Amino acid sequence: MKNNLKISVFLLLSLFCFSAWAQEKSILEKLDEVAIIDQKVMMPMRDGVRLATDIYRPKGDGKYPIVFSRTPYNFNTWGNGEMNTRTMQTALSWVEKGYAYVVQNERGRYFSEGEWDILGVPLTDGYDAIDWMAKQAWSNGKVGTLGCSSTAEWQMAVASLDHPALAALVPQGYGAGVGKIGDFWEQGNWYRGGAGQMLFTNWLYSVQHDPMAPKLAKGIGQEDLLRLQRFYDMSPEYPRIDSKAALSHLPIQDIIKAANGPKGIYEEMITRKPNDPKWFNGGLYHDEQPFDKPSFWFVSWFDVSAGPNIALYNHVRENAVSEMARNNQYLVIAPVLHCSYTRATEDTKVGDLSVGDARLNYDEMITAWFDKWLKGESPELVSEMPKVQYYTMGSNEWQSSDVWPPAEAVMTTMYLDSDGNANTRLGTGKLTSKKPKKDNPDTFKYDPMTPVESYGGNVCCTGNAVTGGSFDQSEMEMRNDILVYTSDVLEEGVEISGFIESYLYLSSDAKDTDVTIKLIDVHPDGKAYNLDETIQRVRYREGYDKEVWMEDGMVYEVKMTPMSTSNYFAKGHQIRIEVSSSNFPRFDRNMNTGGNTYDETEGVIATNSIHHGGKHLSRIVLPMIK
């Protein structure tokens, strides 16, 4: 019986591998029919470092526009991986539309020479690549950039260098390329409100290349690279780990080391504070940099960085160098997880929440966008496209607007109130339009050794530590260290679309602590679905260029980093917020000591109070559309 089972498993695996191989072979054969395939072109940068580049262009002697993807990920077309097939499918699609498709590894990644850093420092690599492509005999001199996540994050800072051949951008899920934008000092999603986002700890475990790993000889020729890529692609195999357990290790700076992971840039980056000069020397885009390129931006409501992504879109619309660029910024906001736009179905689910038919014609829109800016055509789809297309959950519909937030949204204040017992959802916490006259502070103890666990949320790249999306929070809300404030049952539906502002008044017996907040849609059956969340490390309440400690007995106003959503709270629903001091491992734990956090192994219990009456009006301000 056991032998028969082994044989069956072996046959199934063999069939799967053969099927994958056959699919890749079929796509490669189709590509070979229509395209000139030039793989492992070692494109020279100004300092002599060469970047591994695969080029696919239509057969013939024509001049073609270029769709350019630059990535830290492995795109080798030989092998049985999903990424291998996807690269060829993407190349085939663009070649059939009359484009050259160029995909390149950042320096220090796989076959590319040099040392890697996040976003492919130096910034000039992107400029040099565009310059090289624009000068090729088969190029029409126009380049458009395309990609999601790490294949998008470098686009904005390179665009600030303003190469004339860079005609248009399509950045998708691009938050880790956003440094400082207005109220957001995330430094590429490394921080939120000065608290560390732990996604990069997990991501770098499985991405950074150990400096001691074997490397190919410098100057190796294309012929040898083409031969080597068929059976050796420089891709490390990282042992699987329990990310949830790994991220609980203290101190934070030793997490990858404790998991026997690769050495690399993590140990240095984890020591940087939000205003460290190194954040401003690499490939992040900051709001003081120029921008003058038409761009088609894609954001997700349940991605790690919807807020700063949308803030960057608004910043470019208002501050791009030319009127042409200011008038040619377009935005799509979908109700999906990170880079999951095309995974929307007629019954799209994010976590446990069904948000209806969230499909959209992404391929047609992006193709029309590039047809306009790279081919000089006038697609009707672009000329009729609204500036902002956004999906409203609850009503489950695509909507459009000329600006974000929608012009009809009215910023409406709701105040936190209770009789001093908002602990758990069974407490007396409420959201009300009336200003509380008496301050009855709600108090809880925050123990960094037993933090509030992340359950769902707006996340990326955390492995099994956090599952992204919307889940019923009602059981979590029975914890005594979560304060719960809920509106009356809505007598009529209301849409909330835009940035949600939060101002909380805090006192604590600790030098420093965190304040967290979560926006919730409570359904008539009592299920409480999370929409967005944020955090503020209180030491940075006066700005990220200094650390200011608290004094016991003093009350401090804490302005939270804005949340973002579009959700219809139907009649019979309730609006709720949760307030606490931890959301782990979505964010790192504040040890409450005033120390560095990254090198601490022990914390202290903080007694924290939220004040909400008299002169201490804790409140949220919601962009309401009635």
Side-chain angles (χ1 to χ4, degrees):
M1 182 71 178
K2 288 184 178 179
N3 288 336
N4 289 338
L5 180 60
K6 289 180 180 179
I7 292 171
S8 298
V9 171
F10 174 78
L11 290 173
L12 285 172
L13 288 173
S14 300
L15 182 62
F16 172 80
C17 291
F18 177 80
S19 175
W21 173 82
Q23 183 183 18
E24 290 180 24
K25 187 172 183 293
S26 173
I27 295 171
L28 187 57
E29 288 173 343
K30 290 179 182 178
L31 255 179
D32 197 43
E33 291 175 2
V34 299
I36 296 172
I37 301 173
D38 197 7
Q39 294 180 331
K40 295 303 169 282
V41 175
M42 299 304 286
M43 190 182 294
M45 301 292 103
R46 64 185 63 185
D47 61 356
V49 168
R50 303 179 308 158
L51 305 187
T53 309
D54 286 2
I55 301 170
Y56 306 86
R57 54 190 175 90
K59 287 185 175 179
D61 299 325
K63 294 181 179 291
Y64 303 100
I66 299 167
V67 174
F68 179 41
S69 293
R70 185 160 162 264
T71 180
Y73 296 123
N74 184 17
F75 58 79
N76 188 13
T77 53
W78 296 93
N80 292 320
E82 178 187 357
M83 183 67 72
N84 314 108
T85 305
R86 192 187 313 162
T87 298
M88 290 189 290
Q89 288 175 328
T90 303
L92 178 61
S93 173
W94 284 111
V95 168
E96 289 179 334
K97 296 171 186 174
Y99 289 85
Y101 178 70
V102 179
V103 58
Q104 180 179 83
N105 266 141
E106 294 175 357
R107 65 168 55 207
R109 302 296 290 174
Y110 305 101
F111 290 101
S112 286
E113 297 172 347
E115 299 299 324
W116 182 70
D117 194 352
I118 289 179
L119 300 176
V121 173
L123 183 58
T124 51
D125 282 359
Y127 188 97
D128 291 350
I130 293 168
D131 195 63
W132 186 93
M133 289 184 288
K135 293 175 180 177
Q136 300 307 300
W138 44 265
S139 168
N140 77 345
K142 292 187 181 296
V143 179
T145 56
L146 172 66
C148 194
S149 192
S150 290
T151 312
E153 293 150 4
W154 62 275
Q155 295 184 36
M156 296 80 71
V158 170
S160 73
L161 301 180
D162 201 29
H163 194 291
L166 179 55
L169 285 70
V170 182
Q172 304 168 308
Y174 47 91
V178 182
K180 176 183 73 67
I181 299 291
D183 290 336
F184 294 94
W185 282 66
E186 296 213 349
Q187 306 300 23
N189 295 158
W190 200 271
Y191 287 102
R192 168 71 55 83
Q197 304 200 62
M198 298 201 75
L199 71 98
F200 270 116
T201 303
N202 186 72
W203 186 78
L204 285 171
Y205 167 84
S206 60
V207 171
Q208 64 181 6
H209 284 186
D210 195 297
M212 300 303 294
K215 295 182 180 179
L216 295 176
K218 187 175 182 181
I220 190 171
Q222 184 181 17
E223 182 179 350
D224 286 325
L225 289 171
L226 288 172
R227 177 174 52 84
L228 286 169
Q229 75 166 354
R230 297 173 69 95
F231 54 84
Y232 181 69
D233 62 6
M234 307 283 289
S235 181
E237 182 176 340
Y238 299 95
R240 292 183 178 272
I241 60 170
D242 181 346
S243 298
K244 188 171 185 178
L247 293 178
S248 297
H249 179 85
L250 293 172
I252 294 172
Q253 65 182 6
D254 290 342
I255 287 176
I256 295 179
K257 179 181 178 181
N260 293 314
K263 295 181 180 179
I265 57 178
Y266 173 75
E267 285 75 12
E268 182 276 320
M269 294 189 74
I270 196 66
T271 67
R272 297 183 194 175
K273 295 181 178 180
N275 67 333
D276 192 301
K278 291 178 182 177
W279 295 120
F280 298 88
N281 294 334
L284 294 174
Y285 179 84
H286 305 283
D287 54 17
E288 73 274 7
Q289 294 173 274
F291 195 97
D292 201 34
K293 302 295 181 182
S295 302
F296 193 6
W297 311 86
F298 288 83
V299 175
S300 307
W301 284 134
F302 287 93
D303 199 354
V304 68
S305 53
N309 286 1
I310 298 170
L312 175 55
Y313 166 78
N314 283 342
H315 170 78
V316 172
R317 280 196 74 178
E318 296 168 5
N319 298 286
V321 175
S322 67
E323 183 178 1
M324 179 280 295
R326 292 192 294 273
N327 290 339
N328 286 286
Q329 305 298 320
Y330 292 82
L331 173 67
V332 169
I333 318 174
V336 293
L337 300 172
H338 180 69
C339 289
S340 298
Y341 308 101
T342 58
R343 296 176 189 173
T345 67
E346 57 187 345
D347 182 22
T348 305
K349 288 188 176 180
V350 278
D352 282 345
L353 180 66
S354 175
V355 296
D357 189 347
R359 293 173 294 180
L360 201 63
N361 57 338
Y362 296 106
D363 185 64
E364 292 90 339
M365 291 191 298
I366 293 170
T367 300
W369 178 255
F370 281 146
D371 285 347
K372 174 180 175 65
W373 294 106
L374 275 62
K375 289 185 176 180
E377 298 177 0
S378 301
E380 186 176 328
L381 185 58
V382 176
S383 63
E384 295 181 350
M385 195 159 60
K387 286 289 192 293
V388 181
Q389 298 174 75
Y390 66 99
Y391 196 86
T392 301
M393 299 170 288
S395 59
N396 297 346
E397 59 181 339
W398 281 103
Q399 301 198 77
S400 62
S401 175
D402 189 56
V403 293
W404 188 263
E408 60 269 31
V410 177
M411 297 304 287
T412 305
T413 301
M414 299 190 75
Y415 299 93
L416 282 61
D417 195 9
S418 79
D419 61 6
N421 181 28
N423 308 71
T424 81
R425 62 179 169 83
L426 302 181
T428 59
K430 59 183 179 180
L431 284 177
T432 175
S433 59
K434 297 180 179 179
K435 295 180 181 179
K437 295 181 179 180
K438 186 177 180 181
D439 184 10
N440 294 308
D442 298 304
T443 300
F444 64 95
K445 291 188 180 296
Y446 160 50
D447 182 353
M449 297 300 105
T450 57
V452 174
E453 292 186 2
S454 306
Y455 185 46
N458 311 66
V459 300
C460 161
C461 318
T462 51
N464 70 330
V466 187
T467 300
S470 191
F471 295 88
D472 177 18
Q473 306 292 306
S474 59
E475 184 175 342
M476 292 280 294
E477 291 168 348
M478 293 305 294
R479 287 183 59 128
N480 204 55
D481 54 358
I482 297 178
L483 306 180
V484 181
Y485 302 90
T486 310
S487 73
D488 291 337
V489 174
L490 297 175
E491 295 182 358
E492 60 180 16
V494 61
E495 177 185 330
I496 294 176
S497 292
F499 293 109
I500 295 100
E501 301 173 1
S502 310
Y503 304 84
L504 301 177
Y505 284 86
L506 169 79
S507 64
S508 177
D509 62 357
K511 287 180 63 176
D512 183 45
T513 195
D514 289 347
V515 181
T516 65
I517 192 169
K518 190 181 295 183
L519 179 66
I520 306 287
D521 182 354
V522 184
H523 291 216
D525 61 2
K527 291 184 177 179
Y529 289 99
N530 54 294
L531 298 172
D532 199 5
E533 61 209 357
T534 193
I535 191 171
Q536 184 64 42
R537 188 142 290 173
V538 180
R539 70 176 73 178
Y540 295 118
R541 66 189 178 277
E542 296 183 13
Y544 297 100
D545 57 343
K546 56 185 175 182
E547 297 175 321
V548 184
W549 311 117
M550 295 184 293
E551 295 182 18
D552 192 4
M554 299 291 291
V555 179
Y556 302 95
E557 183 185 50
V558 180
K559 180 183 179 182
M560 308 291 288
T561 298
M563 295 182 284
S564 304
T565 197
S566 178
N567 188 75
Y568 180 73
F569 292 78
K571 179 181 178 180
H573 287 226
Q574 293 169 283
I575 303 169
R576 173 177 291 171
I577 64 167
E578 297 173 6
V579 176
S580 191
S581 286
S582 53
N583 183 348
F584 176 79
R586 168 80 167 85
F587 305 105
D588 66 4
R589 291 169 283 182
N590 194 324
M591 307 305 279
N592 300 326
T593 65
N596 289 322
T597 303
Y598 62 80
D599 60 2
E600 294 183 292
T601 58
E602 296 182 4
V604 298
I605 297 175
T607 302
N608 297 333
S609 297
I610 297 297
H611 300 256
H612 44 67
K615 62 181 181 179
H616 301 137
L617 294 174
S618 291
R619 62 200 183 276
I620 60 171
V621 188
L622 301 166
M624 286 190 175
I625 302 173
K626 293 188 177 181

